[in-house]
Amino acid sequence: NLSKPPRLIEAFDISHLGGTDTVASMVVFKDGRPFKSAYRKYNINVDKVDDFESMREVVLRRYKRQLKERNTLPDLVLIDGGKGQLSAALESLKELKLDLPIVALAKRLEELFLPEQKDSLRIAKNSPALNILKQLRDEAHRFAITFQRQKRTKSIAKSKFEDIPGVGKKTVEKIYKRFQNTIDMKDLSDKALSYKLGVSQKIAKEIKKII
């Protein structure tokens, strides 16, 4: 039901590491292909893990600037997520008095959510329309994760884990490489964690204490 083919599509994703360093990505497809020079990454300023508030912030920042600079607006906006993320993005568009076509694509069942529609829209798995949206969503996710890893690498130099005697930069690198969310280490036994990180059980126990 779009008024014209979506030649320009912008997609958003949120990423965080263990509840910290929340970032967002915005990727662009033009005529069905990645338009990488238009990609953008954002540091998000929320005080806690809140995907909805993070989505609200990045959409507001993106289109507030686009309006200010009178840049071309997309034919379609794609949000990575479900109803909650879509509602948050819509709030920002309404605040800017922008009426842009917008949808959200949830990962688990590849359900498509449309504004003001209670039920999700199921599209055939082999649909070219769904395929292009999945490509966009996955690219937004990849770009966000890449940015997150860059931030993570920079933070390794000042990691709290290095305050533990016997823990050096190599161990810290293993922690961040093997655990996207460091809280997950608490679920492991001291023996299992020591094996994964190549440290003694005593050090593994100390690592778990400061998570």
Side-chain angles (χ1 to χ4, degrees):
N1 295 322
L2 292 173
S3 60
K4 60 179 180 179
R7 294 188 59 195
L8 190 67
I9 309 176
E10 297 184 351
F12 294 85
D13 186 33
I14 303 296
S15 179
H16 58 79
L17 173 65
T20 62
D21 293 329
T22 301
V23 301
S25 66
M26 192 279 302
V27 303
V28 183
F29 272 28
K30 189 174 183 180
D31 293 329
R33 295 177 179 274
F35 185 35
K36 293 192 175 184
S37 64
Y39 285 17
R40 296 292 181 270
K41 50 193 178 186
Y42 300 83
N43 287 304
I44 298 298
N45 302 313
V46 295
D47 296 327
K48 57 183 179 179
V49 179
D50 188 334
D51 285 353
F52 301 156
E53 185 58 38
S54 299
M55 188 62 74
R56 187 180 294 114
E57 178 185 321
V58 67
V59 171
L60 182 68
R61 286 168 59 185
R62 169 63 177 174
Y63 296 115
K64 186 175 183 178
R65 180 165 185 170
Q66 292 298 86
L67 288 172
K68 182 180 179 181
E69 297 179 356
R70 298 184 180 181
N71 293 326
T72 302
L73 295 173
D75 302 313
L76 179 66
V77 177
L78 175 66
I79 302 298
D80 180 13
K83 286 183 179 180
Q85 286 86 351
L86 178 60
S87 296
L90 274 168
E91 285 180 23
S92 292
L93 293 183
K94 288 176 181 176
E95 183 177 336
L96 296 169
K97 296 180 173 57
L98 265 181
D99 184 19
L100 293 176
I102 182 170
V103 295
L105 184 61
K107 285 187 181 75
R108 192 168 68 86
L109 297 175
E110 306 294 10
E111 296 172 284
L112 198 64
F113 291 91
L114 282 66
E116 299 176 5
Q117 286 195 20
K118 181 180 178 181
D119 297 321
S120 63
L121 181 65
R122 294 288 187 89
I123 303 177
K125 299 295 183 185
N126 60 352
S127 164
L130 179 61
N131 186 51
I132 194 72
L133 293 179
K134 285 169 62 178
Q135 286 182 46
L136 264 156
R137 189 270 316 281
D138 293 345
E139 177 69 350
H141 182 67
R142 181 201 65 78
F143 194 54
I145 290 295
T146 299
F147 182 35
Q148 182 59 256
R149 284 175 179 161
Q150 290 170 350
K151 289 194 68 173
R152 190 187 315 176
T153 299
K154 288 180 181 178
S155 71
I156 284 174
K158 54 181 181 180
S159 171
K160 60 184 178 182
F161 298 113
E162 283 191 83
D163 293 334
I164 301 171
V167 174
K169 287 190 182 300
K170 286 188 176 180
T171 301
V172 173
E173 287 175 3
K174 285 183 182 178
I175 289 171
Y176 288 112
K177 184 177 181 180
R178 298 185 181 185
F179 297 94
Q180 184 170 348
N181 188 335
T182 55
I183 295 174
D184 292 341
M185 290 191 291
K186 276 195 169 183
D187 297 330
L188 297 176
S189 67
D190 295 345
K191 183 177 181 180
L193 184 59
S194 69
Y195 177 76
K196 279 183 173 291
L197 299 180
V199 297
S200 69
Q201 291 188 42
K202 182 181 177 181
I203 291 177
K205 185 178 289 187
E206 292 300 314
I207 289 172
K208 288 164 67 176
K209 280 182 182 178
I210 65 170
I211 297 172

